Amino acid sequence: QSTWGDSCLSGSKCAAGYTGLLCKDCAAQHFADADGECRPCPKLSSAAFALYVIAVVVLSLMACILVVLTQAKSTSTTISSSRDTEVFPSFVTRSRSIPPSLSLVVTAFQIAGVLSAATLSWPRTAQRALSWLSFASLDVNLFASECTLATFGAKYVVAVLSPLVFVAFVVVELLLVRAAKLVVTSLADLNLGALH
């Protein structure tokens, strides 16, 4: 008898979409949804996985823009506070480059995504809504990755490397922004030198 709900039929046979020992695995062309049930792969599973890749790139661009904007703000705050320290030298404050509210929101989304997978008898609609918040953890299961990635090993590698790829994208984008700033300032210096 299977411990996985409706995945086993009588006579030691697996229900449609299930396979393996105790019928706990999804059969070919099936994936495990947020409820852990095996569903048929969508027709556009490759497009869904491409959407995941695009989402990682877009989120990294948004993170880069946020870091650049907060650094510009902290630079102006540092300049104004350096003027104040001439009068009040003991009141030097440290400014954060990333707003604490953003960190709290991302952490809350990650916790909600983890809670959706817990066996807490959530109503089905609440569990589905909470499971979509696991995008903050770059969860590959949201996009039916089992339909695109052939083996568990490939899915595992993508799941482990996704956060690293996200960070690498942000670092590369920040380096490109810094290089562009250097080029712009050097061109401005050259123009000023040519005017004199």
Side-chain angles (χ1 to χ4, degrees), residues 13-24:
K13 292 184 180 179
C14 295
Y18 295 88
T19 188
L21 181 66
L22 297 177
C23 305
K24 66 180 178 65

Side-chain angles (χ1 to χ4, degrees), residues 111-112 114-123 126-127 130:
I111 291 170
V114 169
L115 285 177
S116 71
T119 54
L120 296 174
S121 301
W122 294 103
Q127 187 173 14
L130 286 173

Side-chain angles (χ1 to χ4, degrees), residues 43-194:
K43 292 179 181 177
L44 300 175
S45 59
S46 298
F49 189 72
L51 181 66
Y52 172 77
V53 173
I54 291 169
V56 168
V57 173
V58 168
L59 287 173
S60 69
L61 280 170
M62 290 171 59
C64 176
I65 290 169
L66 181 70
V67 169
V68 168
L69 291 176
T70 53
Q71 282 182 345
K73 183 178 177 184
S74 68
T75 303
S76 64
T77 304
T78 306
I79 291 169
S80 64
S81 66
S82 66
R83 293 179 191 142
D84 296 339
T85 55
E86 295 170 3
V87 180
F88 305 106
S90 60
F91 294 105
V92 179
T93 58
R94 180 177 170 263
S95 62
R96 291 179 55 118
S97 61
I98 297 176
S101 57
L102 178 67
S103 301
L104 290 173
V105 167
V106 170
T107 303
F109 282 178
Q110 290 173 336
I111 291 170
V114 169
L115 285 177
S116 71
T119 54
L120 296 174
S121 301
W122 294 103
R124 186 176 291 268
T125 54
Q127 187 173 14
R128 286 183 187 269
L130 286 173
S131 69
W132 277 101
L133 293 177
S134 60
F135 78 87
S137 301
L138 300 176
D139 189 3
V140 295
N141 291 328
L142 289 176
F143 298 94
S145 61
E146 294 171 28
C147 299
T148 306
L149 304 172
T151 63
F152 172 78
K155 181 180 169 186
Y156 180 76
V157 168
V158 169
V160 169
L161 290 181
S162 290
L164 297 175
V165 169
F166 175 80
V167 171
F169 272 130
V170 172
V171 168
V172 167
E173 291 159 2
L174 288 173
L175 289 174
L176 289 174
V177 167
R178 181 164 288 187
K181 283 182 181 178
L182 288 174
V183 168
V184 168
T185 54
S186 63
L187 287 176
D189 290 343
L190 284 174
N191 287 338
L192 285 175

